[in-house]
Every structure is written in structure tokens, then in C-alpha cells.
Amino acid sequence: MYPSDLSDAEWELLAPLIPAAKSGGHPRTTDIRQVCNAIYYHLKTGCQWRYLPKNFPPPSTVYSYYRKWVKKGVWEKINHTLRQMVRQQVGKSPQSSVIIADSQSVETTGKKGDVYGFDGGKKVKGRKRQLLVDSLGLILKVIVAEAHGQERVLAATAVMELLEENPKLLEKVALMWVDAGYSGDKFALAIWLMIQARVEVIKRSDKKFKVLPKRWIVERTFGWFNWYRRLSKDYEKLSEMSEAAIYAVMTRIMLRRLVS
């Protein structure tokens, strides 16, 4: 009914990754495909939950499933599974040997919880999205922090958390590409000690705009966020909800890529 809805082929890929209903008790009667359609509609249009069209399940039901999946880390797990499928589809190894780190400062709609700050360099009041992506620009890890958070600290934290959660995703990594904001011997040493990867700083050659192929990969990922109005700002009170929205958006992007 809506352009954001899942096609039959996309749902066939996604359905096995959705948590099954609990055994025992009253059987599940909610149409989970419609719940996913409602979530993707919400992310695409940026509407508030209570403004979801009436043909979807009740907003409270949709949000309940979404919140439950956020707490269980379902969106991040689905993201990793689909990312490996996309890489295999284009003839690449499931795990990348290169990672790229970069951040994006975004405004919030007022002061949102404890995770809030001011990025003096970009003059942005809000939060910072720190990404780790692979050689295709697909997300490995996202951390949402205060806008004044130091990029090197956030990138190192992202690597450390990913190493603790799913070390297989980093076992083949030999190189990390970053911009000048991540330069420094201490950062390079920290990355080497954690995953034995070399840090390469890609610097601009002059002040004029110039596409730098290696850095442009992660910039393109940030560009994909512009297709989803819910990510135009950070509307969430909790930073974990902001991170989940990014993972969920990436699952939608990858599902379309897999069936195209």
C-alpha cells in the first residue's frame, strides 16, 4: 500500500530474522509483517507513532514490538546478517578487511535526556553519530553520544564494543581509514592493540571540495540517512533508540538491495 512496505521477496528474507513468539500462553495474533511495514513507514516519513495510518496495527502495538526488539538488540543483529548477505551478493567476503570511521553531528528537538551537547566545530546542539562501516559503506557499529564527544574516543569505543559483542566481524580487519579528526599516535596505537589494524589518515589536499574515494564511502552512508525523515534530526529521548533507528534504516536499505 505504501512505497516503504516490504515486498514478498523482502519479507521472505526478513521473516526468519524476526524473533518468534514465546511458547505457551495466548498465540500471537498480530501480523508481524504489518508491524514491520509500520516501523519502516515511521522511519521513512518521520511521523509520530500515534499518527500511523489506521490500516497498520494499533500504534501502541507497533511501538511495543519495536521497543522490545530494541532492548534485545534485534535490529543490530538483523543488520549484521543482511550486511554479510549483501557482501556475498557482490562477490566479497562476508567480513571486510577494511573499516572506515567517521561521525555526524545532528540537532535534536530540544534537550534530549542526558546524552546532549554542543559541537563547537560544527556549531550543532545535539548529538553525534559515530559510525564504523565496511568497504561498501554498510554499518558495523554506531554509537550515539553527546555532540561534543571526541571523535577518537568514540571511534575507539565503537571498536572496543564491537570486539566484545561480535569479534568475528573484526578478525580480518587490517586497515582503518579515517579523516584528520582521528589523527594521532595514541589513537593509532589503541586501534593496533585492540585489533592489530593500521590506521591511515586520508587528508584533504586543498581547501576546495574534492571527492576522496576512500572517505567518500562513509559520507555516502550518511547521505543514505537523508532518505529517511526520522533521521533528519535526533528525535529520540534515549540514545539507544537513536542507534536502533539507524540500524533499522540500514536493514530497509539492504533488503531492497538484496532483491533488486
mmCIF file with all atom_site columns, all heavy atoms in Angstrom, residues 240-256:
data_model
loop_
_atom_site.group_PDB
_atom_site.id
_atom_site.type_symbol
_atom_site.label_atom_id
_atom_site.label_alt_id
_atom_site.label_comp_id
_atom_site.label_asym_id
_atom_site.label_entity_id
_atom_site.label_seq_id
_atom_site.pdbx_PDB_ins_code
_atom_site.Cartn_x
_atom_site.Cartn_y
_atom_site.Cartn_z
_atom_site.occupancy
_atom_site.B_iso_or_equiv
_atom_site.pdbx_formal_charge
_atom_site.auth_seq_id
_atom_site.auth_comp_id
_atom_site.auth_asym_id
_atom_site.auth_atom_id
_atom_site.pdbx_PDB_model_num
ATOM 1   N N   . GLU A 1 240 ? 19.934 4.879  22.862 1.00 0.00 ? 240 GLU A N   1
ATOM 2   C CA  . GLU A 1 240 ? 19.816 3.535  22.304 1.00 0.00 ? 240 GLU A CA  1
ATOM 3   C C   . GLU A 1 240 ? 18.692 3.442  21.280 1.00 0.00 ? 240 GLU A C   1
ATOM 4   O O   . GLU A 1 240 ? 18.756 2.651  20.341 1.00 0.00 ? 240 GLU A O   1
ATOM 5   C CB  . GLU A 1 240 ? 19.622 2.493  23.400 1.00 0.00 ? 240 GLU A CB  1
ATOM 6   C CG  . GLU A 1 240 ? 18.444 2.735  24.309 1.00 0.00 ? 240 GLU A CG  1
ATOM 7   C CD  . GLU A 1 240 ? 18.844 3.412  25.610 1.00 0.00 ? 240 GLU A CD  1
ATOM 8   O OE1 . GLU A 1 240 ? 19.753 4.264  25.580 1.00 0.00 ? 240 GLU A OE1 1
ATOM 9   O OE2 . GLU A 1 240 ? 18.243 3.073  26.647 1.00 0.00 ? 240 GLU A OE2 1
ATOM 10  N N   . MET A 1 241 ? 17.661 4.282  21.442 1.00 0.00 ? 241 MET A N   1
ATOM 11  C CA  . MET A 1 241 ? 16.587 4.317  20.442 1.00 0.00 ? 241 MET A CA  1
ATOM 12  C C   . MET A 1 241 ? 17.089 4.976  19.154 1.00 0.00 ? 241 MET A C   1
ATOM 13  O O   . MET A 1 241 ? 16.697 4.586  18.054 1.00 0.00 ? 241 MET A O   1
ATOM 14  C CB  . MET A 1 241 ? 15.382 5.075  20.998 1.00 0.00 ? 241 MET A CB  1
ATOM 15  C CG  . MET A 1 241 ? 14.710 4.399  22.182 1.00 0.00 ? 241 MET A CG  1
ATOM 16  S SD  . MET A 1 241 ? 13.942 2.821  21.737 1.00 0.00 ? 241 MET A SD  1
ATOM 17  C CE  . MET A 1 241 ? 12.451 3.393  20.922 1.00 0.00 ? 241 MET A CE  1
ATOM 18  N N   . SER A 1 242 ? 17.967 5.968  19.293 1.00 0.00 ? 242 SER A N   1
ATOM 19  C CA  . SER A 1 242 ? 18.560 6.616  18.122 1.00 0.00 ? 242 SER A CA  1
ATOM 20  C C   . SER A 1 242 ? 19.428 5.632  17.346 1.00 0.00 ? 242 SER A C   1
ATOM 21  O O   . SER A 1 242 ? 19.382 5.583  16.114 1.00 0.00 ? 242 SER A O   1
ATOM 22  C CB  . SER A 1 242 ? 19.404 7.818  18.553 1.00 0.00 ? 242 SER A CB  1
ATOM 23  O OG  . SER A 1 242 ? 18.636 8.745  19.271 1.00 0.00 ? 242 SER A OG  1
ATOM 24  N N   . GLU A 1 243 ? 20.217 4.849  18.072 1.00 0.00 ? 243 GLU A N   1
ATOM 25  C CA  . GLU A 1 243 ? 21.071 3.849  17.424 1.00 0.00 ? 243 GLU A CA  1
ATOM 26  C C   . GLU A 1 243 ? 20.224 2.796  16.722 1.00 0.00 ? 243 GLU A C   1
ATOM 27  O O   . GLU A 1 243 ? 20.531 2.398  15.584 1.00 0.00 ? 243 GLU A O   1
ATOM 28  C CB  . GLU A 1 243 ? 21.971 3.198  18.479 1.00 0.00 ? 243 GLU A CB  1
ATOM 29  C CG  . GLU A 1 243 ? 22.995 4.156  19.075 1.00 0.00 ? 243 GLU A CG  1
ATOM 30  C CD  . GLU A 1 243 ? 23.668 3.625  20.326 1.00 0.00 ? 243 GLU A CD  1
ATOM 31  O OE1 . GLU A 1 243 ? 23.328 2.494  20.744 1.00 0.00 ? 243 GLU A OE1 1
ATOM 32  O OE2 . GLU A 1 243 ? 24.525 4.326  20.895 1.00 0.00 ? 243 GLU A OE2 1
ATOM 33  N N   . ALA A 1 244 ? 19.155 2.344  17.378 1.00 0.00 ? 244 ALA A N   1
ATOM 34  C CA  . ALA A 1 244 ? 18.292 1.326  16.783 1.00 0.00 ? 244 ALA A CA  1
ATOM 35  C C   . ALA A 1 244 ? 17.634 1.829  15.512 1.00 0.00 ? 244 ALA A C   1
ATOM 36  O O   . ALA A 1 244 ? 17.475 1.074  14.545 1.00 0.00 ? 244 ALA A O   1
ATOM 37  C CB  . ALA A 1 244 ? 17.225 0.890  17.795 1.00 0.00 ? 244 ALA A CB  1
ATOM 38  N N   . ALA A 1 245 ? 17.247 3.102  15.484 1.00 0.00 ? 245 ALA A N   1
ATOM 39  C CA  . ALA A 1 245 ? 16.621 3.666  14.281 1.00 0.00 ? 245 ALA A CA  1
ATOM 40  C C   . ALA A 1 245 ? 17.583 3.617  13.096 1.00 0.00 ? 245 ALA A C   1
ATOM 41  O O   . ALA A 1 245 ? 17.178 3.336  11.961 1.00 0.00 ? 245 ALA A O   1
ATOM 42  C CB  . ALA A 1 245 ? 16.175 5.106  14.549 1.00 0.00 ? 245 ALA A CB  1
ATOM 43  N N   . ILE A 1 246 ? 18.860 3.863  13.356 1.00 0.00 ? 246 ILE A N   1
ATOM 44  C CA  . ILE A 1 246 ? 19.859 3.817  12.286 1.00 0.00 ? 246 ILE A CA  1
ATOM 45  C C   . ILE A 1 246 ? 20.043 2.389  11.783 1.00 0.00 ? 246 ILE A C   1
ATOM 46  O O   . ILE A 1 246 ? 20.088 2.137  10.573 1.00 0.00 ? 246 ILE A O   1
ATOM 47  C CB  . ILE A 1 246 ? 21.189 4.406  12.774 1.00 0.00 ? 246 ILE A CB  1
ATOM 48  C CG1 . ILE A 1 246 ? 21.020 5.908  13.048 1.00 0.00 ? 246 ILE A CG1 1
ATOM 49  C CG2 . ILE A 1 246 ? 22.304 4.171  11.756 1.00 0.00 ? 246 ILE A CG2 1
ATOM 50  C CD1 . ILE A 1 246 ? 22.214 6.563  13.714 1.00 0.00 ? 246 ILE A CD1 1
ATOM 51  N N   . TYR A 1 247 ? 20.141 1.432  12.704 1.00 0.00 ? 247 TYR A N   1
ATOM 52  C CA  . TYR A 1 247 ? 20.249 0.033  12.289 1.00 0.00 ? 247 TYR A CA  1
ATOM 53  C C   . TYR A 1 247 ? 19.020 -0.398 11.490 1.00 0.00 ? 247 TYR A C   1
ATOM 54  O O   . TYR A 1 247 ? 19.136 -1.098 10.480 1.00 0.00 ? 247 TYR A O   1
ATOM 55  C CB  . TYR A 1 247 ? 20.405 -0.874 13.509 1.00 0.00 ? 247 TYR A CB  1
ATOM 56  C CG  . TYR A 1 247 ? 21.757 -0.835 14.167 1.00 0.00 ? 247 TYR A CG  1
ATOM 57  C CD1 . TYR A 1 247 ? 21.890 -0.543 15.522 1.00 0.00 ? 247 TYR A CD1 1
ATOM 58  C CD2 . TYR A 1 247 ? 22.920 -1.113 13.453 1.00 0.00 ? 247 TYR A CD2 1
ATOM 59  C CE1 . TYR A 1 247 ? 23.138 -0.521 16.141 1.00 0.00 ? 247 TYR A CE1 1
ATOM 60  C CE2 . TYR A 1 247 ? 24.165 -1.092 14.054 1.00 0.00 ? 247 TYR A CE2 1
ATOM 61  C CZ  . TYR A 1 247 ? 24.265 -0.792 15.402 1.00 0.00 ? 247 TYR A CZ  1
ATOM 62  O OH  . TYR A 1 247 ? 25.503 -0.774 16.002 1.00 0.00 ? 247 TYR A OH  1
ATOM 63  N N   . ALA A 1 248 ? 17.828 0.014  11.949 1.00 0.00 ? 248 ALA A N   1
ATOM 64  C CA  . ALA A 1 248 ? 16.592 -0.366 11.262 1.00 0.00 ? 248 ALA A CA  1
ATOM 65  C C   . ALA A 1 248 ? 16.539 0.220  9.851  1.00 0.00 ? 248 ALA A C   1
ATOM 66  O O   . ALA A 1 248 ? 16.121 -0.451 8.897  1.00 0.00 ? 248 ALA A O   1
ATOM 67  C CB  . ALA A 1 248 ? 15.377 0.081  12.071 1.00 0.00 ? 248 ALA A CB  1
ATOM 68  N N   . VAL A 1 249 ? 16.963 1.465  9.709  1.00 0.00 ? 249 VAL A N   1
ATOM 69  C CA  . VAL A 1 249 ? 17.016 2.085  8.384  1.00 0.00 ? 249 VAL A CA  1
ATOM 70  C C   . VAL A 1 249 ? 17.957 1.310  7.468  1.00 0.00 ? 249 VAL A C   1
ATOM 71  O O   . VAL A 1 249 ? 17.649 1.062  6.291  1.00 0.00 ? 249 VAL A O   1
ATOM 72  C CB  . VAL A 1 249 ? 17.458 3.561  8.508  1.00 0.00 ? 249 VAL A CB  1
ATOM 73  C CG1 . VAL A 1 249 ? 17.957 4.094  7.166  1.00 0.00 ? 249 VAL A CG1 1
ATOM 74  C CG2 . VAL A 1 249 ? 16.297 4.419  8.999  1.00 0.00 ? 249 VAL A CG2 1
ATOM 75  N N   . MET A 1 250 ? 19.093 0.913  7.999  1.00 0.00 ? 250 MET A N   1
ATOM 76  C CA  . MET A 1 250 ? 20.044 0.161  7.181  1.00 0.00 ? 250 MET A CA  1
ATOM 77  C C   . MET A 1 250 ? 19.475 -1.193 6.760  1.00 0.00 ? 250 MET A C   1
ATOM 78  O O   . MET A 1 250 ? 19.747 -1.666 5.651  1.00 0.00 ? 250 MET A O   1
ATOM 79  C CB  . MET A 1 250 ? 21.359 -0.029 7.941  1.00 0.00 ? 250 MET A CB  1
ATOM 80  C CG  . MET A 1 250 ? 22.198 1.226  8.065  1.00 0.00 ? 250 MET A CG  1
ATOM 81  S SD  . MET A 1 250 ? 22.660 1.954  6.474  1.00 0.00 ? 250 MET A SD  1
ATOM 82  C CE  . MET A 1 250 ? 23.588 0.617  5.735  1.00 0.00 ? 250 MET A CE  1
ATOM 83  N N   . THR A 1 251 ? 18.670 -1.831 7.615  1.00 0.00 ? 251 THR A N   1
ATOM 84  C CA  . THR A 1 251 ? 18.063 -3.104 7.213  1.00 0.00 ? 251 THR A CA  1
ATOM 85  C C   . THR A 1 251 ? 17.134 -2.894 6.027  1.00 0.00 ? 251 THR A C   1
ATOM 86  O O   . THR A 1 251 ? 17.090 -3.730 5.122  1.00 0.00 ? 251 THR A O   1
ATOM 87  C CB  . THR A 1 251 ? 17.276 -3.755 8.373  1.00 0.00 ? 251 THR A CB  1
ATOM 88  O OG1 . THR A 1 251 ? 16.152 -2.948 8.736  1.00 0.00 ? 251 THR A OG1 1
ATOM 89  C CG2 . THR A 1 251 ? 18.176 -3.972 9.577  1.00 0.00 ? 251 THR A CG2 1
ATOM 90  N N   . ARG A 1 252 ? 16.416 -1.769 6.031  1.00 0.00 ? 252 ARG A N   1
ATOM 91  C CA  . ARG A 1 252 ? 15.495 -1.498 4.904  1.00 0.00 ? 252 ARG A CA  1
ATOM 92  C C   . ARG A 1 252 ? 16.278 -1.263 3.610  1.00 0.00 ? 252 ARG A C   1
ATOM 93  O O   . ARG A 1 252 ? 15.886 -1.733 2.539  1.00 0.00 ? 252 ARG A O   1
ATOM 94  C CB  . ARG A 1 252 ? 14.621 -0.270 5.215  1.00 0.00 ? 252 ARG A CB  1
ATOM 95  C CG  . ARG A 1 252 ? 13.462 -0.098 4.227  1.00 0.00 ? 252 ARG A CG  1
ATOM 96  C CD  . ARG A 1 252 ? 12.463 -1.213 4.432  1.00 0.00 ? 252 ARG A CD  1
ATOM 97  N NE  . ARG A 1 252 ? 11.477 -1.322 3.366  1.00 0.00 ? 252 ARG A NE  1
ATOM 98  C CZ  . ARG A 1 252 ? 11.601 -2.077 2.284  1.00 0.00 ? 252 ARG A CZ  1
ATOM 99  N NH1 . ARG A 1 252 ? 12.740 -2.759 2.077  1.00 0.00 ? 252 ARG A NH1 1
ATOM 100 N NH2 . ARG A 1 252 ? 10.643 -2.171 1.399  1.00 0.00 ? 252 ARG A NH2 1
ATOM 101 N N   . ILE A 1 253 ? 17.360 -0.529 3.713  1.00 0.00 ? 253 ILE A N   1
ATOM 102 C CA  . ILE A 1 253 ? 18.192 -0.254 2.543  1.00 0.00 ? 253 ILE A CA  1
ATOM 103 C C   . ILE A 1 253 ? 18.771 -1.546 1.981  1.00 0.00 ? 253 ILE A C   1
ATOM 104 O O   . ILE A 1 253 ? 18.761 -1.778 0.754  1.00 0.00 ? 253 ILE A O   1
ATOM 105 C CB  . ILE A 1 253 ? 19.326 0.726  2.920  1.00 0.00 ? 253 ILE A CB  1
ATOM 106 C CG1 . ILE A 1 253 ? 18.733 2.114  3.227  1.00 0.00 ? 253 ILE A CG1 1
ATOM 107 C CG2 . ILE A 1 253 ? 20.353 0.831  1.800  1.00 0.00 ? 253 ILE A CG2 1
ATOM 108 C CD1 . ILE A 1 253 ? 19.731 3.091  3.820  1.00 0.00 ? 253 ILE A CD1 1
ATOM 109 N N   . MET A 1 254 ? 19.254 -2.405 2.848  1.00 0.00 ? 254 MET A N   1
ATOM 110 C CA  . MET A 1 254 ? 19.886 -3.642 2.396  1.00 0.00 ? 254 MET A CA  1
ATOM 111 C C   . MET A 1 254 ? 18.878 -4.647 1.852  1.00 0.00 ? 254 MET A C   1
ATOM 112 O O   . MET A 1 254 ? 19.176 -5.382 0.901  1.00 0.00 ? 254 MET A O   1
ATOM 113 C CB  . MET A 1 254 ? 20.707 -4.263 3.528  1.00 0.00 ? 254 MET A CB  1
ATOM 114 C CG  . MET A 1 254 ? 21.962 -3.461 3.865  1.00 0.00 ? 254 MET A CG  1
ATOM 115 S SD  . MET A 1 254 ? 23.069 -4.273 5.050  1.00 0.00 ? 254 MET A SD  1
ATOM 116 C CE  . MET A 1 254 ? 22.125 -4.089 6.561  1.00 0.00 ? 254 MET A CE  1
ATOM 117 N N   . LEU A 1 255 ? 17.671 -4.686 2.418  1.00 0.00 ? 255 LEU A N   1
ATOM 118 C CA  . LEU A 1 255 ? 16.650 -5.586 1.878  1.00 0.00 ? 255 LEU A CA  1
ATOM 119 C C   . LEU A 1 255 ? 16.331 -5.227 0.433  1.00 0.00 ? 255 LEU A C   1
ATOM 120 O O   . LEU A 1 255 ? 16.193 -6.112 -0.427 1.00 0.00 ? 255 LEU A O   1
ATOM 121 C CB  . LEU A 1 255 ? 15.379 -5.503 2.734  1.00 0.00 ? 255 LEU A CB  1
ATOM 122 C CG  . LEU A 1 255 ? 15.437 -6.257 4.069  1.00 0.00 ? 255 LEU A CG  1
ATOM 123 C CD1 . LEU A 1 255 ? 14.238 -5.860 4.938  1.00 0.00 ? 255 LEU A CD1 1
ATOM 124 C CD2 . LEU A 1 255 ? 15.444 -7.767 3.846  1.00 0.00 ? 255 LEU A CD2 1
ATOM 125 N N   . ARG A 1 256 ? 16.219 -3.957 0.140  1.00 0.00 ? 256 ARG A N   1
ATOM 126 C CA  . ARG A 1 256 ? 15.946 -3.536 -1.240 1.00 0.00 ? 256 ARG A CA  1
ATOM 127 C C   . ARG A 1 256 ? 17.109 -3.878 -2.167 1.00 0.00 ? 256 ARG A C   1
ATOM 128 O O   . ARG A 1 256 ? 16.901 -4.255 -3.316 1.00 0.00 ? 256 ARG A O   1
ATOM 129 C CB  . ARG A 1 256 ? 15.673 -2.026 -1.269 1.00 0.00 ? 256 ARG A CB  1
ATOM 130 C CG  . ARG A 1 256 ? 14.306 -1.664 -0.737 1.00 0.00 ? 256 ARG A CG  1
ATOM 131 C CD  . ARG A 1 256 ? 13.874 -0.285 -1.099 1.00 0.00 ? 256 ARG A CD  1
ATOM 132 N NE  . ARG A 1 256 ? 12.459 -0.097 -0.804 1.00 0.00 ? 256 ARG A NE  1
ATOM 133 C CZ  . ARG A 1 256 ? 11.847 1.083  -0.831 1.00 0.00 ? 256 ARG A CZ  1
ATOM 134 N NH1 . ARG A 1 256 ? 12.540 2.164  -1.121 1.00 0.00 ? 256 ARG A NH1 1
ATOM 135 N NH2 . ARG A 1 256 ? 10.558 1.158  -0.562 1.00 0.00 ? 256 ARG A NH2 1
#
